[in-house]
Amino acid sequence: MGFNMRQRLRDGGIQVTGYDRKPEVTDVESVDELLATLPSPRIVWLMVPAGAVTASVVSELAGKLGSGDLVIDGGNSRFTEDRKHQELLAEQGIGFIDVGVSGGVWGLANGYGLMAGGDPEHIQTAMPLFDALRPDGPREESFVHVGDIGAGHYAKMVHNGIEYGLMQAFAEGYELLEAKDIIKDVPGTFRAWQKGTVVRSWLLDLMVKALEEDPGLSRIAGYVEDSGEGRWTVEEAIANAVPAPAITAAVFARFASRQEDAPAMKMVAALRNQFGGHAVRAPGQRQPESDQK
Amino acid sequence: MGFNMRQRLRDGGIQVTGYDRKPEVTDVESVDELLATLPSPRIVWLMVPAGAVTASVVSELAGKLGSGDLVIDGGNSRFTEDRKHQELLAEQGIGFIDVGVSGGVWGLANGYGLMAGGDPEHIQTAMPLFDALRPDGPREESFVHVGDIGAGHYAKMVHNGIEYGLMQAFAEGYELLEAKDIIKDVPGTFRAWQKGTVVRSWLLDLMVKALEEDPGLSRIAGYVEDSGEGRWTVEEAIANAVPAPAITAAVFARFASRQEDAPAMKMVAALRNQFGGHAVRAPGQRQPESDQK
Amino acid sequence: MGFNMRQRLRDGGIQVTGYDRKPEVTDVESVDELLATLPSPRIVWLMVPAGAVTASVVSELAGKLGSGDLVIDGGNSRFTEDRKHQELLAEQGIGFIDVGVSGGVWGLANGYGLMAGGDPEHIQTAMPLFDALRPDGPREESFVHVGDIGAGHYAKMVHNGIEYGLMQAFAEGYELLEAKDIIKDVPGTFRAWQKGTVVRSWLLDLMVKALEEDPGLSRIAGYVEDSGEGRWTVEEAIANAVPAPAITAAVFARFASRQEDAPAMKMVAALRNQFGGHAVRAPGQRQPESDQK
Amino acid sequence: MGFNMRQRLRDGGIQVTGYDRKPEVTDVESVDELLATLPSPRIVWLMVPAGAVTASVVSELAGKLGSGDLVIDGGNSRFTEDRKHQELLAEQGIGFIDVGVSGGVWGLANGYGLMAGGDPEHIQTAMPLFDALRPDGPREESFVHVGDIGAGHYAKMVHNGIEYGLMQAFAEGYELLEAKDIIKDVPGTFRAWQKGTVVRSWLLDLMVKALEEDPGLSRIAGYVEDSGEGRWTVEEAIANAVPAPAITAAVFARFASRQEDAPAMKMVAALRNQFGGHAVRAPGQRQPESDQK
């Protein structure tokens, strides 16, 4: 993603030096070389894995940058990390803002949606970068200064939580259409929703594309990973006493998609056998579902 | 909705006579007069309430139309009704197709998304109407012949079920943003998602519009009705053994939104009191939630 | 179940003639022979599969029984069927009551919990049977006249819906204990809950028994069937606008337990691949879940 | 709860000195006096609020107890706290075990269910206390040494999570019975489930009791608090990728029970108004639900 963002920044007339551990994509050979090439005050935009890697890089930069420089964490860090990073950098007079970036592999061509948290003057400093990264059109339709430090990543977390829920809802609808004999054209149905219906959306367009490439999704297993942001959204729902059943259902559906012979369901089968004498299957004897009436 | 559709059909060059029980919108004074004005073979497009009213009108038309005529049910009928209506009309040589129509109050200007079920020759007969009603652009992006009789309404039902899930996911995200102190600009956050993010969609645009009109939604109660299609979607999930937790969560959230002192929650409070001596509140003593730790 | 109930009735001093299509358990060779052996007024207690079989037997009995006789449907019929059966039998002066029976394979030894619907005088007629079938102790702790025709089966349906929810909750707790490295004695934990805790219950006792027989449930697949009553409970929740998220979660978990490569989850995987370039697995390449952070 | 436990310990022949800040229940006037009265090696059993209070008391005891003494945390601490407390105390040679205690207000009479985590020798030291606190009968039916430090509180957390799910399932069933016109005796139905049915349990007995005291629960609002353990259970489900939809539904139902005009539902109402022109209600115009078809 950093690779694509570098390109889009350059296309927008921004001078960028990229550092990556992969020799084939990096512009320089080390962080030190990177920092030496940057004009002062320096702006360093991080796109590195959330968690330990981000923390380590921030820590390194705290020792190498100086007063008036600015670090932007554009990765998927948990919002709770941002305050710590801000404070660490502030001790050296280094500014920090957190930015949630959405757009995936399409961002290079379409531009990215951006949500930023932090001090207004730091946001202002970085605005030329935001303007280059985001799609054309009114700034407020693709960029927002959400609030204090952490607010950008919090908003991105909620965005991704919503994304989980939207995908799950579409996917349930897909399965309902696939399950029904009177439905003869499932890909065509999604295609026909792209204009005019209430559910028209970019995710719908992507469903259409996926079904054009593989109409029965026969090449794809029903096995879905999850990343931190869906989980954190549920944790925030819990922490703030916000009922979030649809988003949580999406997260649990992913967990279940990765399980075979879930312990919980083994226990339900065992209980049915205990009280009702209902037959159980041995592991490995799982078969396509019989017709339930 | 029928009123707007008449207008859009006329704008598309289709000659339409509308009958409605409301004198201020009808073109004719009775069904008989309506049928007398139509050129043969006649096409009658119904936009009447699902259930008993639709059944009664279909029954009346079965007695008044004749061989070669065509009835189109564009209302929100349950797909299980369509076969009955088709058979009743077929006894008189009258054709029948079912069409799901999406687009709401914006359909007049934008065009409607259309999903049709039934015999290909009847679909073909009605195609000029579909072309006038749907948005400009490639037909397959706003019209689909989904399958046999009932398939159009089934697809519309699933569409609405998905719509329930999408709205619930967005709404949960909205509440999570509202609940968090570091977030200073909730309307601005949604506005900034309109371009570039994964969740960009028409429903998101409508959220932005709703928040522009009433930034804290202070004029709207958290009380949400539901119509048949959300419920039928859950029933189809059950009937076809399709897990649909996100869509179902959306339906249940609407039920709960209309309850005050839900019997189930009274019982949970009573049980906590029984085993743990936890205090209960008397009805009417409900207050804004205290801060839960 | 009918076999065990015959035994318990006989142990209670009731004279019973059983008819079953299996020669090794039946007392007589035909329904006609059965009806001929019964003293008048005859009481016929049905324990046959819900749905078509029950309807067919009731229909046969309507033609063969007479005024003053009584039919008891003790099977798991949907409560909506009961009214039809009552009316059919009433035309011949035959009484009808519906009885939900709980107790499973343990009912022979422990006695059954009984919920009856119908006319008080018919309930009274059958009371000696109820008293023989139910456990010793106060009648009101194991028998209830719930209400009108259908009420017995409705109450049994709700009982089973609750049962689904209870089993799911226990099973989720089981999986949470199994998943945690600091927990060294999962079977012992459940065993220690049998006295003194809030969750003590018969289902808990059965969990303990299941874990004694197979401590890691290694011989049981996580594949769980469902019967009509769980589904009907969800349908009644929908029909009556009652939020029932826990019971519904239990039903959906069973559906999902029987799926491999659920279409919905294939679609979520496809969407993640479309927007984010996330890798997908091919069907058959599903593996034990990798460690998610 | 500590007050009742002191009584049960004394009834079991254990010499106990209790300290509480409330003068009317305490045996001594200060922690120092408490520690002075205890014979060496001293055993201190804490029943204080989880979180900051427990941490502060453990810290105080670390400074006042000495080598060979033992601290037992019997409160509802989060299991993640236990390791910290153990390490702090171990620096002074003080032992520590964590014990989950279930039984509520009935524990004094019935005895408590106990789950302990920690070093076997410390568990052994405390065994006379466990034997006095738990119900009569085989030790393994009311006491378990679950595992390492934290395991006792983890097991208690899961116990409470299950309890949430069980209560929610029963409560949903209660509402389904209340909602149905053919059901004439809801309290009687629960009463009749106490013997013989699959759902028989202590919670069911408490429902019967609650309905005896207030048959329609007319004196109780549908407003339910939650404590830490339900929330932590959901967080552990998330952390361990365990689908826990029923328990989570129970937690969310409590959150929703405390909301009036939930922001999420305001947004769903606003969206329906935006796309469909559906009427919204103003806050305060919420009324009993109209009949939904």
Side-chain angles (χ1 to χ4, degrees), chain C residues 46 51-56 58-59 62 71 73 77-78 80-91 94-96 149 153:
Chain C
L46 306 184
V53 178
T54 296
S56 148
V58 166
S59 178
V71 174
D73 180 6
S77 295
R78 190 165 189 169
T80 46
E81 300 297 299
D82 294 320
R83 177 66 62 188
K84 287 183 264 178
H85 296 162
Q86 183 209 28
E87 287 171 358
L88 185 71
L89 293 163
E91 288 170 16
I94 308 163
F96 178 77
I149 274 293
H153 280 142

PDB file of all heavy atoms in Angstrom, chain C residues 46 51-56 58-59 62 71 73 77-78 80-91 94-96 149 153:
ATOM      1  N   LEU C  46     -51.014 -40.364  20.439  1.00  0.00           N
ATOM      2  CA  LEU C  46     -50.100 -40.451  19.286  1.00  0.00           C
ATOM      3  C   LEU C  46     -48.694 -40.004  19.652  1.00  0.00           C
ATOM      4  O   LEU C  46     -48.506 -38.948  20.256  1.00  0.00           O
ATOM      5  CB  LEU C  46     -50.578 -39.549  18.150  1.00  0.00           C
ATOM      6  CG  LEU C  46     -52.001 -39.710  17.654  1.00  0.00           C
ATOM      7  CD1 LEU C  46     -52.231 -38.782  16.457  1.00  0.00           C
ATOM      8  CD2 LEU C  46     -52.254 -41.149  17.256  1.00  0.00           C
ATOM      9  N   GLY C  51     -46.010 -33.493  11.304  1.00  0.00           N
ATOM     10  CA  GLY C  51     -46.196 -33.160   9.899  1.00  0.00           C
ATOM     11  C   GLY C  51     -47.115 -34.144   9.210  1.00  0.00           C
ATOM     12  O   GLY C  51     -48.184 -34.492   9.739  1.00  0.00           O
ATOM     13  N   ALA C  52     -46.671 -34.619   8.055  1.00  0.00           N
ATOM     14  CA  ALA C  52     -47.547 -35.431   7.207  1.00  0.00           C
ATOM     15  C   ALA C  52     -48.010 -36.702   7.910  1.00  0.00           C
ATOM     16  O   ALA C  52     -49.173 -37.113   7.767  1.00  0.00           O
ATOM     17  CB  ALA C  52     -46.821 -35.783   5.913  1.00  0.00           C
ATOM     18  N   VAL C  53     -47.110 -37.341   8.665  1.00  0.00           N
ATOM     19  CA  VAL C  53     -47.494 -38.604   9.301  1.00  0.00           C
ATOM     20  C   VAL C  53     -48.591 -38.364  10.337  1.00  0.00           C
ATOM     21  O   VAL C  53     -49.606 -39.066  10.373  1.00  0.00           O
ATOM     22  CB  VAL C  53     -46.277 -39.305   9.941  1.00  0.00           C
ATOM     23  CG1 VAL C  53     -46.711 -40.593  10.626  1.00  0.00           C
ATOM     24  CG2 VAL C  53     -45.210 -39.582   8.887  1.00  0.00           C
ATOM     25  N   THR C  54     -48.396 -37.371  11.174  1.00  0.00           N
ATOM     26  CA  THR C  54     -49.420 -37.070  12.173  1.00  0.00           C
ATOM     27  C   THR C  54     -50.750 -36.723  11.502  1.00  0.00           C
ATOM     28  O   THR C  54     -51.815 -37.228  11.895  1.00  0.00           O
ATOM     29  CB  THR C  54     -48.963 -35.904  13.073  1.00  0.00           C
ATOM     30  OG1 THR C  54     -47.810 -36.320  13.809  1.00  0.00           O
ATOM     31  CG2 THR C  54     -50.056 -35.493  14.045  1.00  0.00           C
ATOM     32  N   ALA C  55     -50.691 -35.897  10.469  1.00  0.00           N
ATOM     33  CA  ALA C  55     -51.923 -35.504   9.773  1.00  0.00           C
ATOM     34  C   ALA C  55     -52.642 -36.724   9.219  1.00  0.00           C
ATOM     35  O   ALA C  55     -53.882 -36.845   9.306  1.00  0.00           O
ATOM     36  CB  ALA C  55     -51.591 -34.517   8.653  1.00  0.00           C
ATOM     37  N   SER C  56     -51.872 -37.645   8.673  1.00  0.00           N
ATOM     38  CA  SER C  56     -52.473 -38.828   8.070  1.00  0.00           C
ATOM     39  C   SER C  56     -53.102 -39.727   9.131  1.00  0.00           C
ATOM     40  O   SER C  56     -54.203 -40.274   8.945  1.00  0.00           O
ATOM     41  CB  SER C  56     -51.391 -39.558   7.270  1.00  0.00           C
ATOM     42  OG  SER C  56     -51.606 -40.930   7.271  1.00  0.00           O
ATOM     43  N   VAL C  58     -54.195 -38.753  12.124  1.00  0.00           N
ATOM     44  CA  VAL C  58     -55.389 -38.084  12.657  1.00  0.00           C
ATOM     45  C   VAL C  58     -56.560 -38.281  11.693  1.00  0.00           C
ATOM     46  O   VAL C  58     -57.693 -38.574  12.104  1.00  0.00           O
ATOM     47  CB  VAL C  58     -55.114 -36.579  12.877  1.00  0.00           C
ATOM     48  CG1 VAL C  58     -56.412 -35.803  13.101  1.00  0.00           C
ATOM     49  CG2 VAL C  58     -54.171 -36.387  14.059  1.00  0.00           C
ATOM     50  N   SER C  59     -56.270 -38.160  10.421  1.00  0.00           N
ATOM     51  CA  SER C  59     -57.311 -38.328   9.410  1.00  0.00           C
ATOM     52  C   SER C  59     -57.895 -39.748   9.475  1.00  0.00           C
ATOM     53  O   SER C  59     -59.112 -39.941   9.419  1.00  0.00           O
ATOM     54  CB  SER C  59     -56.689 -38.036   8.043  1.00  0.00           C
ATOM     55  OG  SER C  59     -57.624 -38.221   7.031  1.00  0.00           O
ATOM     56  N   ALA C  62     -60.068 -40.084  12.504  1.00  0.00           N
ATOM     57  CA  ALA C  62     -61.346 -39.378  12.348  1.00  0.00           C
ATOM     58  C   ALA C  62     -62.381 -40.295  11.706  1.00  0.00           C
ATOM     59  O   ALA C  62     -63.587 -40.192  11.984  1.00  0.00           O
ATOM     60  CB  ALA C  62     -61.157 -38.113  11.508  1.00  0.00           C
ATOM     61  N   VAL C  71     -58.451 -38.162  21.199  1.00  0.00           N
ATOM     62  CA  VAL C  71     -57.116 -38.307  20.614  1.00  0.00           C
ATOM     63  C   VAL C  71     -56.181 -37.311  21.293  1.00  0.00           C
ATOM     64  O   VAL C  71     -56.534 -36.141  21.476  1.00  0.00           O
ATOM     65  CB  VAL C  71     -57.155 -38.055  19.091  1.00  0.00           C
ATOM     66  CG1 VAL C  71     -55.740 -38.056  18.509  1.00  0.00           C
ATOM     67  CG2 VAL C  71     -58.032 -39.099  18.404  1.00  0.00           C
ATOM     68  N   ASP C  73     -52.386 -35.787  20.890  1.00  0.00           N
ATOM     69  CA  ASP C  73     -51.164 -35.726  20.091  1.00  0.00           C
ATOM     70  C   ASP C  73     -50.000 -35.318  20.988  1.00  0.00           C
ATOM     71  O   ASP C  73     -49.849 -34.159  21.348  1.00  0.00           O
ATOM     72  CB  ASP C  73     -51.321 -34.735  18.920  1.00  0.00           C
ATOM     73  CG  ASP C  73     -50.046 -34.666  18.073  1.00  0.00           C
ATOM     74  OD1 ASP C  73     -49.108 -35.458  18.324  1.00  0.00           O
ATOM     75  OD2 ASP C  73     -49.996 -33.825  17.150  1.00  0.00           O
ATOM     76  N   SER C  77     -45.694 -31.928  17.052  1.00  0.00           N
ATOM     77  CA  SER C  77     -46.400 -31.204  15.996  1.00  0.00           C
ATOM     78  C   SER C  77     -46.254 -29.703  16.172  1.00  0.00           C
ATOM     79  O   SER C  77     -46.138 -29.195  17.289  1.00  0.00           O
ATOM     80  CB  SER C  77     -47.897 -31.544  16.036  1.00  0.00           C
ATOM     81  OG  SER C  77     -48.087 -32.896  15.729  1.00  0.00           O
ATOM     82  N   ARG C  78     -46.277 -29.005  15.042  1.00  0.00           N
ATOM     83  CA  ARG C  78     -46.310 -27.556  15.115  1.00  0.00           C
ATOM     84  C   ARG C  78     -47.678 -27.144  15.651  1.00  0.00           C
ATOM     85  O   ARG C  78     -48.709 -27.709  15.270  1.00  0.00           O
ATOM     86  CB  ARG C  78     -46.095 -26.979  13.718  1.00  0.00           C
ATOM     87  CG  ARG C  78     -45.886 -25.487  13.762  1.00  0.00           C
ATOM     88  CD  ARG C  78     -45.326 -24.930  12.474  1.00  0.00           C
ATOM     89  NE  ARG C  78     -44.963 -23.542  12.683  1.00  0.00           N
ATOM     90  CZ  ARG C  78     -44.251 -22.815  11.837  1.00  0.00           C
ATOM     91  NH1 ARG C  78     -43.809 -23.366  10.725  1.00  0.00           N
ATOM     92  NH2 ARG C  78     -43.960 -21.567  12.092  1.00  0.00           N
ATOM     93  N   THR C  80     -49.598 -24.866  15.061  1.00  0.00           N
ATOM     94  CA  THR C  80     -50.576 -24.411  14.066  1.00  0.00           C
ATOM     95  C   THR C  80     -51.370 -25.563  13.455  1.00  0.00           C
ATOM     96  O   THR C  80     -52.416 -25.349  12.838  1.00  0.00           O
ATOM     97  CB  THR C  80     -49.851 -23.657  12.935  1.00  0.00           C
ATOM     98  OG1 THR C  80     -48.703 -24.422  12.536  1.00  0.00           O
ATOM     99  CG2 THR C  80     -49.384 -22.291  13.415  1.00  0.00           C
ATOM    100  N   GLU C  81     -50.874 -26.786  13.602  1.00  0.00           N
ATOM    101  CA  GLU C  81     -51.594 -27.947  13.079  1.00  0.00           C
ATOM    102  C   GLU C  81     -52.746 -28.365  13.974  1.00  0.00           C
ATOM    103  O   GLU C  81     -53.686 -29.032  13.537  1.00  0.00           O
ATOM    104  CB  GLU C  81     -50.634 -29.150  12.950  1.00  0.00           C
ATOM    105  CG  GLU C  81     -49.458 -28.920  12.022  1.00  0.00           C
ATOM    106  CD  GLU C  81     -49.916 -28.679  10.603  1.00  0.00           C
ATOM    107  OE1 GLU C  81     -50.550 -29.576  10.023  1.00  0.00           O
ATOM    108  OE2 GLU C  81     -49.665 -27.555  10.081  1.00  0.00           O
ATOM    109  N   ASP C  82     -52.639 -28.023  15.251  1.00  0.00           N
ATOM    110  CA  ASP C  82     -53.557 -28.603  16.233  1.00  0.00           C
ATOM    111  C   ASP C  82     -55.008 -28.207  15.991  1.00  0.00           C
ATOM    112  O   ASP C  82     -55.919 -29.020  16.121  1.00  0.00           O
ATOM    113  CB  ASP C  82     -53.119 -28.204  17.646  1.00  0.00           C
ATOM    114  CG  ASP C  82     -51.775 -28.831  18.019  1.00  0.00           C
ATOM    115  OD1 ASP C  82     -51.548 -30.005  17.677  1.00  0.00           O
ATOM    116  OD2 ASP C  82     -50.954 -28.135  18.637  1.00  0.00           O
ATOM    117  N   ARG C  83     -55.202 -26.960  15.640  1.00  0.00           N
ATOM    118  CA  ARG C  83     -56.573 -26.491  15.421  1.00  0.00           C
ATOM    119  C   ARG C  83     -57.242 -27.297  14.297  1.00  0.00           C
ATOM    120  O   ARG C  83     -58.393 -27.731  14.410  1.00  0.00           O
ATOM    121  CB  ARG C  83     -56.543 -24.987  15.094  1.00  0.00           C
ATOM    122  CG  ARG C  83     -57.872 -24.355  14.774  1.00  0.00           C
ATOM    123  CD  ARG C  83     -58.845 -24.323  15.924  1.00  0.00           C
ATOM    124  NE  ARG C  83     -58.362 -23.527  17.054  1.00  0.00           N
ATOM    125  CZ  ARG C  83     -58.964 -23.474  18.243  1.00  0.00           C
ATOM    126  NH1 ARG C  83     -60.067 -24.194  18.456  1.00  0.00           N
ATOM    127  NH2 ARG C  83     -58.457 -22.750  19.223  1.00  0.00           N
ATOM    128  N   LYS C  84     -56.473 -27.525  13.221  1.00  0.00           N
ATOM    129  CA  LYS C  84     -57.016 -28.303  12.099  1.00  0.00           C
ATOM    130  C   LYS C  84     -57.408 -29.716  12.545  1.00  0.00           C
ATOM    131  O   LYS C  84     -58.472 -30.217  12.179  1.00  0.00           O
ATOM    132  CB  LYS C  84     -55.970 -28.392  10.972  1.00  0.00           C
ATOM    133  CG  LYS C  84     -55.766 -27.096  10.202  1.00  0.00           C
ATOM    134  CD  LYS C  84     -54.776 -27.279   9.053  1.00  0.00           C
ATOM    135  CE  LYS C  84     -53.377 -26.866   9.476  1.00  0.00           C
ATOM    136  NZ  LYS C  84     -52.350 -27.053   8.433  1.00  0.00           N
ATOM    137  N   HIS C  85     -56.531 -30.324  13.313  1.00  0.00           N
ATOM    138  CA  HIS C  85     -56.814 -31.687  13.760  1.00  0.00           C
ATOM    139  C   HIS C  85     -58.017 -31.710  14.691  1.00  0.00           C
ATOM    140  O   HIS C  85     -58.856 -32.601  14.617  1.00  0.00           O
ATOM    141  CB  HIS C  85     -55.575 -32.272  14.445  1.00  0.00           C
ATOM    142  CG  HIS C  85     -54.412 -32.422  13.505  1.00  0.00           C
ATOM    143  ND1 HIS C  85     -53.123 -32.577  13.915  1.00  0.00           N
ATOM    144  CD2 HIS C  85     -54.355 -32.420  12.139  1.00  0.00           C
ATOM    145  CE1 HIS C  85     -52.322 -32.675  12.864  1.00  0.00           C
ATOM    146  NE2 HIS C  85     -53.055 -32.567  11.780  1.00  0.00           N
ATOM    147  N   GLN C  86     -58.085 -30.717  15.560  1.00  0.00           N
ATOM    148  CA  GLN C  86     -59.222 -30.666  16.476  1.00  0.00           C
ATOM    149  C   GLN C  86     -60.540 -30.558  15.709  1.00  0.00           C
ATOM    150  O   GLN C  86     -61.503 -31.272  16.010  1.00  0.00           O
ATOM    151  CB  GLN C  86     -59.087 -29.452  17.415  1.00  0.00           C
ATOM    152  CG  GLN C  86     -60.209 -29.395  18.427  1.00  0.00           C
ATOM    153  CD  GLN C  86     -60.520 -27.961  18.848  1.00  0.00           C
ATOM    154  OE1 GLN C  86     -60.318 -27.019  18.085  1.00  0.00           O
ATOM    155  NE2 GLN C  86     -61.002 -27.821  20.070  1.00  0.00           N
ATOM    156  N   GLU C  87     -60.522 -29.686  14.694  1.00  0.00           N
ATOM    157  CA  GLU C  87     -61.774 -29.464  13.964  1.00  0.00           C
ATOM    158  C   GLU C  87     -62.187 -30.700  13.177  1.00  0.00           C
ATOM    159  O   GLU C  87     -63.373 -31.063  13.138  1.00  0.00           O
ATOM    160  CB  GLU C  87     -61.627 -28.241  13.041  1.00  0.00           C
ATOM    161  CG  GLU C  87     -61.618 -26.953  13.860  1.00  0.00           C
ATOM    162  CD  GLU C  87     -61.269 -25.705  13.049  1.00  0.00           C
ATOM    163  OE1 GLU C  87     -60.986 -25.843  11.840  1.00  0.00           O
ATOM    164  OE2 GLU C  87     -61.268 -24.606  13.651  1.00  0.00           O
ATOM    165  N   LEU C  88     -61.196 -31.339  12.589  1.00  0.00           N
ATOM    166  CA  LEU C  88     -61.490 -32.557  11.821  1.00  0.00           C
ATOM    167  C   LEU C  88     -62.118 -33.624  12.718  1.00  0.00           C
ATOM    168  O   LEU C  88     -63.117 -34.268  12.356  1.00  0.00           O
ATOM    169  CB  LEU C  88     -60.186 -33.088  11.215  1.00  0.00           C
ATOM    170  CG  LEU C  88     -60.309 -34.287  10.286  1.00  0.00           C
ATOM    171  CD1 LEU C  88     -60.971 -33.863   8.977  1.00  0.00           C
ATOM    172  CD2 LEU C  88     -58.922 -34.876   9.989  1.00  0.00           C
ATOM    173  N   LEU C  89     -61.550 -33.791  13.898  1.00  0.00           N
ATOM    174  CA  LEU C  89     -62.050 -34.814  14.823  1.00  0.00           C
ATOM    175  C   LEU C  89     -63.384 -34.409  15.436  1.00  0.00           C
ATOM    176  O   LEU C  89     -64.271 -35.251  15.650  1.00  0.00           O
ATOM    177  CB  LEU C  89     -61.010 -35.079  15.910  1.00  0.00           C
ATOM    178  CG  LEU C  89     -59.710 -35.742  15.408  1.00  0.00           C
ATOM    179  CD1 LEU C  89     -58.592 -35.590  16.425  1.00  0.00           C
ATOM    180  CD2 LEU C  89     -59.946 -37.224  15.096  1.00  0.00           C
ATOM    181  N   ALA C  90     -63.535 -33.116  15.694  1.00  0.00           N
ATOM    182  CA  ALA C  90     -64.767 -32.637  16.330  1.00  0.00           C
ATOM    183  C   ALA C  90     -65.982 -32.904  15.449  1.00  0.00           C
ATOM    184  O   ALA C  90     -67.096 -33.125  15.957  1.00  0.00           O
ATOM    185  CB  ALA C  90     -64.651 -31.139  16.641  1.00  0.00           C
ATOM    186  N   GLU C  91     -65.766 -32.905  14.145  1.00  0.00           N
ATOM    187  CA  GLU C  91     -66.888 -33.205  13.241  1.00  0.00           C
ATOM    188  C   GLU C  91     -67.496 -34.575  13.530  1.00  0.00           C
ATOM    189  O   GLU C  91     -68.667 -34.814  13.242  1.00  0.00           O
ATOM    190  CB  GLU C  91     -66.422 -33.162  11.777  1.00  0.00           C
ATOM    191  CG  GLU C  91     -66.135 -31.748  11.274  1.00  0.00           C
ATOM    192  CD  GLU C  91     -65.442 -31.761   9.912  1.00  0.00           C
ATOM    193  OE1 GLU C  91     -65.462 -32.819   9.253  1.00  0.00           O
ATOM    194  OE2 GLU C  91     -64.872 -30.717   9.526  1.00  0.00           O
ATOM    195  N   ILE C  94     -65.313 -36.459  18.191  1.00  0.00           N
ATOM    196  CA  ILE C  94     -64.102 -36.969  18.854  1.00  0.00           C
ATOM    197  C   ILE C  94     -63.339 -35.797  19.478  1.00  0.00           C
ATOM    198  O   ILE C  94     -63.160 -34.761  18.843  1.00  0.00           O
ATOM    199  CB  ILE C  94     -63.184 -37.674  17.832  1.00  0.00           C
ATOM    200  CG1 ILE C  94     -63.973 -38.731  17.045  1.00  0.00           C
ATOM    201  CG2 ILE C  94     -61.974 -38.292  18.524  1.00  0.00           C
ATOM    202  CD1 ILE C  94     -63.280 -39.179  15.758  1.00  0.00           C
ATOM    203  N   GLY C  95     -62.911 -35.974  20.703  1.00  0.00           N
ATOM    204  CA  GLY C  95     -62.134 -34.933  21.368  1.00  0.00           C
ATOM    205  C   GLY C  95     -60.673 -34.956  20.948  1.00  0.00           C
ATOM    206  O   GLY C  95     -60.175 -35.958  20.419  1.00  0.00           O
ATOM    207  N   PHE C  96     -60.001 -33.833  21.202  1.00  0.00           N
ATOM    208  CA  PHE C  96     -58.581 -33.740  20.833  1.00  0.00           C
ATOM    209  C   PHE C  96     -57.867 -32.810  21.798  1.00  0.00           C
ATOM    210  O   PHE C  96     -58.363 -31.729  22.118  1.00  0.00           O
ATOM    211  CB  PHE C  96     -58.436 -33.200  19.406  1.00  0.00           C
ATOM    212  CG  PHE C  96     -57.009 -33.033  18.952  1.00  0.00           C
ATOM    213  CD1 PHE C  96     -56.257 -34.129  18.570  1.00  0.00           C
ATOM    214  CD2 PHE C  96     -56.416 -31.780  18.923  1.00  0.00           C
ATOM    215  CE1 PHE C  96     -54.930 -33.979  18.153  1.00  0.00           C
ATOM    216  CE2 PHE C  96     -55.097 -31.626  18.523  1.00  0.00           C
ATOM    217  CZ  PHE C  96     -54.352 -32.728  18.138  1.00  0.00           C
ATOM    218  N   ILE C 149     -56.456 -25.123  22.581  1.00  0.00           N
ATOM    219  CA  ILE C 149     -55.850 -26.046  21.612  1.00  0.00           C
ATOM    220  C   ILE C 149     -54.607 -25.399  20.984  1.00  0.00           C
ATOM    221  O   ILE C 149     -54.649 -24.248  20.557  1.00  0.00           O
ATOM    222  CB  ILE C 149     -56.893 -26.389  20.515  1.00  0.00           C
ATOM    223  CG1 ILE C 149     -57.754 -27.550  20.960  1.00  0.00           C
ATOM    224  CG2 ILE C 149     -56.222 -26.748  19.183  1.00  0.00           C
ATOM    225  CD1 ILE C 149     -57.011 -28.867  21.078  1.00  0.00           C
ATOM    226  N   HIS C 153     -48.445 -27.598  22.528  1.00  0.00           N
ATOM    227  CA  HIS C 153     -47.333 -27.675  21.571  1.00  0.00           C
ATOM    228  C   HIS C 153     -46.576 -26.355  21.467  1.00  0.00           C
ATOM    229  O   HIS C 153     -45.369 -26.348  21.245  1.00  0.00           O
ATOM    230  CB  HIS C 153     -47.859 -28.110  20.191  1.00  0.00           C
ATOM    231  CG  HIS C 153     -48.088 -29.575  20.090  1.00  0.00           C
ATOM    232  ND1 HIS C 153     -49.147 -30.138  19.404  1.00  0.00           N
ATOM    233  CD2 HIS C 153     -47.396 -30.627  20.609  1.00  0.00           C
ATOM    234  CE1 HIS C 153     -49.076 -31.461  19.487  1.00  0.00           C
ATOM    235  NE2 HIS C 153     -48.029 -31.778  20.226  1.00  0.00           N
TER     236      HIS C 153
END
